[in-house]
């Protein structure tokens, strides 16, 4: 049985462990927090159960399948054990470059040189993490999307030192795990976090300039086939999380005006209005359920933009960013389109517009 080591048993680490178990791999999971391992085990058991239910097995076979997979999940109390037992290690600890460098330094010291060391970072340069190791050729980004068992996309991000053989092996593993690997350059926001950025930034610009309100913009994008409008999305992900990602991409790309975070986001975060998790964002929430648009954003302008104009404005900015990213060599336009479809649920019409960019 092939073994993967997973470092960090939070939302992403548990999801990565689950998909590896589903694919028949053995998983060795490590976290500094014992409770996180227990929570991950429960989450993985539930996830495997949901997966088994779709396999059309009878009730006894479902239990057998789940227990069989879970038997291949082990815990490593120390990082060293994991590094020596796995052929691939995926790191999913907190998004902090110094923490990730410390983890990679330790893994690099213990793991034989042919073990692939992957990071699930959303935004940190792969190069900055690889630099902490003596074998940068085996360090690569494998950027999974949340929730990992559901989202097919994995951005495969070689750093400047990563060997072609490691890219090939890591890509093959992602295929074996049922994922759709898309290769992209080690650049700010990779593909989705960069090209999908204007979805929220341009919505905020429309709001700032008073030509459309929160409700109208969200409705227009939902009617265009997106599962969620930009403001609902920010509330759900956390306005602070969205702002941090926006700042990262904006500064990483040299502060281009069109990607500058909005003062509205800045103000909401400064006020502790972070979206669903704080009970207030663009919408108000009671008991975790959305109640209404926050009074500050409730009034619609007297002559608002038509829904089709709202959609066109937002998609034009996404399309322009897709073109810039392709020109910058981040990925081909075809791969960018696939990444938006799988990583941000873009409907076909919207993808056709991006393709025409
Ligand atoms: P999380 O907070 O749910 O989990 C992080 C886990 O790492 C925690 O259980 C914590 O105890 C553990 N940890 C901290 N220091 C550690 C150490 N030194 N060794 C071992 N474990 C340690 O975070 P998450 O949402 O799972 O994110 C993990 C990584 O994945 C981050 O880099 C994040 O940017 C990236 N990511 C997150 C998402 C997302 O939507 N949540 C999507 C893609 C990528």
């Amino acid at each position: 049985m092939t073994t993967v080591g997973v470092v960090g048993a939070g939302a992403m680490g548990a999801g990565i462990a689950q998909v590896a178990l589903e694919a028949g791999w053995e998983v060795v999971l490590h976290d500094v927090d014992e409770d996180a391992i227990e929570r991950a085990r429960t989450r993985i058991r539930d996830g495997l159960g949901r997966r088994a239910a779709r396999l059309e097995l009878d009730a006894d076979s479902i239990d057998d399948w789940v227990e069989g997979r879970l038997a291949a999940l082990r815990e490593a109390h120390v990082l060293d054990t994991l590094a020596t037992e796995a052929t691939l290690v995926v790191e999913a600890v907190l998004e902090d470059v110094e923490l990730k460098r410390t983890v990679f330094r330790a893994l690099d010291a213990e793991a034989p040189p042919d073990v692939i060391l992957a990071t699930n970072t959303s935004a940190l340069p792969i190069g900055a993490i690889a630099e902490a190791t003596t074998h940068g050729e085996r360090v690569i980004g494998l950027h999974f999307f949340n929730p990992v068992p559901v989202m097919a996309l994995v951005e495969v991000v070689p750093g400047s030192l990563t060997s072609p053989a490691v890219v090939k092996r890591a890509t093959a593993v992602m295929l074996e795990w049922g994922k759709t690997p898309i290769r992209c350059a080690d650049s700010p926001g990779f593909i989705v976090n960069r090209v999908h950025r204007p979805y929220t930034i341009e919505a905020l610009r429309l709001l700032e300039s008073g030509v459309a309100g929160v409700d109208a913009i969200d409705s227009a994008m939902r009617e265009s086939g997106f599962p969620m409008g930009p403001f609902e999305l920010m509330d759900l992900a956390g306005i602070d999380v969205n702002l941090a990602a926006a700042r990262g991409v904006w500064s990483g790309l040299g502060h281009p005006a069109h990607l500058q975070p909005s003062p509205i986001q800045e103000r909401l975060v400064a006020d502790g209005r972070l979206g669903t998790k704080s009970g207030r964002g663009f919408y108000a929430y009671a008991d975790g359920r959305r109640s209404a648009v926050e009074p500050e954003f409730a009034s619609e302008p007297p002559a608002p933009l038509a829904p089709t104009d709202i959609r066109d404005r937002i998609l034009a900015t996404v399309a322009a960013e897709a073109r810039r990213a392709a020109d910058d060599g981040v990925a081909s336009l075809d791969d960018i389109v696939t990444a938006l479809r799988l990583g941000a649920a873009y409907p076909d019409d919207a993808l056709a517009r991006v393709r025409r960019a």
Side-chain angles (χ1 to χ4, degrees):
M1 207 185 266
T2 330
T3 305
V4 59
V6 178
V7 187
M12 298 305 285
I16 293 164
Q18 185 188 324
V19 296
L21 292 169
E22 284 175 10
W25 282 50
E26 185 175 52
V27 176
V28 187
L29 188 57
H30 170 76
D31 196 295
V32 285
D33 175 2
E34 291 281 323
D35 292 345
I37 299 266
E38 278 321 302
R39 284 194 302 273
R41 196 177 277 280
T42 305
R43 195 181 286 181
I44 292 167
R45 181 188 294 275
D46 292 348
L48 288 172
R50 280 191 297 276
R51 166 79 183 183
R54 288 199 304 274
L55 295 177
E56 296 181 5
L57 303 171
D58 59 51
D60 284 350
S61 312
I62 288 183
D63 287 346
D64 288 351
W65 189 86
V66 171
E67 293 310 319
R69 293 294 183 265
L70 274 178
L73 173 65
R74 287 187 289 120
E75 177 183 348
H77 293 283
V78 285
L79 212 51
D80 316 9
T81 333
L82 175 144
T84 48
E85 291 184 21
T87 54
L88 162 70
V89 178
V90 184
E91 165 279 314
V93 303
L94 305 174
E95 188 78 342
D96 172 325
V97 72
E98 282 316 319
L99 176 63
K100 288 190 192 280
R101 285 165 64 97
T102 304
V103 167
F104 272 75
R105 212 172 282 122
L107 289 171
D108 187 52
E110 296 298 331
D114 61 338
V115 176
I116 298 178
L117 303 182
T119 173
N120 182 46
T121 180
S122 312
L124 300 169
I126 307 306
I129 297 168
E131 271 170 18
T133 70
T134 54
H135 287 283
E137 75 283 351
R138 42 99 160 249
V139 176
I140 191 164
L142 289 177
H143 183 216
F144 291 84
F145 287 70
N146 192 19
V148 181
V150 176
M151 303 290 282
L153 180 65
V154 178
E155 292 174 341
V156 175
V157 194
S160 60
L161 302 172
T162 315
S163 78
V166 164
V167 179
K168 206 167 152 193
R169 277 172 60 207
T171 304
V173 173
M174 293 303 98
L175 290 170
E176 190 187 330
W177 289 5
K179 295 299 177 194
T180 304
I182 298 275
R183 187 173 166 163
C184 80
D186 187 10
S187 60
F190 306 138
I191 302 176
V192 175
N193 272 330
R194 171 176 174 176
V195 178
H196 186 46
R197 186 71 26 216
Y199 188 72
T200 43
I201 294 280
E202 191 60 17
L204 285 156
R205 300 271 191 272
L206 293 172
L207 186 65
E208 272 167 36
S209 58
V211 294
V214 162
D215 201 26
I217 297 170
D218 275 352
S219 305
M221 298 317 285
R222 253 186 279 109
E223 281 160 22
S224 311
F226 284 86
M228 255 188 265
F231 297 104
E232 313 175 276
L233 187 65
M234 283 186 275
D235 271 7
L236 188 67
I239 300 174
D240 53 337
V241 173
N242 181 277
L243 177 60
R247 279 185 184 143
V249 172
W250 180 57
S251 61
L253 291 173
H255 304 106
H258 67 281
L259 289 178
Q260 181 164 10
S262 159
I264 298 178
Q265 288 173 289
E266 310 263 3
R267 182 167 49 76
L268 290 177
V269 172
D271 290 350
R273 291 165 58 184
L274 309 179
T276 322
K277 64 185 168 190
S278 71
R280 290 183 70 194
F282 294 101
Y283 295 89
Y285 299 84
D287 301 327
R289 295 170 69 98
R290 191 158 90 198
S291 54
V293 177
E294 281 278 297
E296 170 189 0
F297 301 119
S299 62
E300 290 289 335
L305 277 185
T308 47
D309 293 333
I310 292 173
R311 180 200 60 201
D312 288 350
R313 275 271 301 261
I314 291 178
L315 291 183
T317 56
V318 171
E321 196 55 39
R323 166 56 57 204
R324 272 187 219 103
D327 289 347
D328 289 351
V330 174
S332 68
L333 196 55
D334 275 352
D335 281 353
I336 291 174
V337 164
T338 305
L340 289 175
R341 181 163 59 79
L342 298 178
Y346 272 50
D348 288 344
D349 277 3
L351 293 174
R353 279 159 190 266
V354 173
R355 207 181 278 284
R356 287 198 301 271

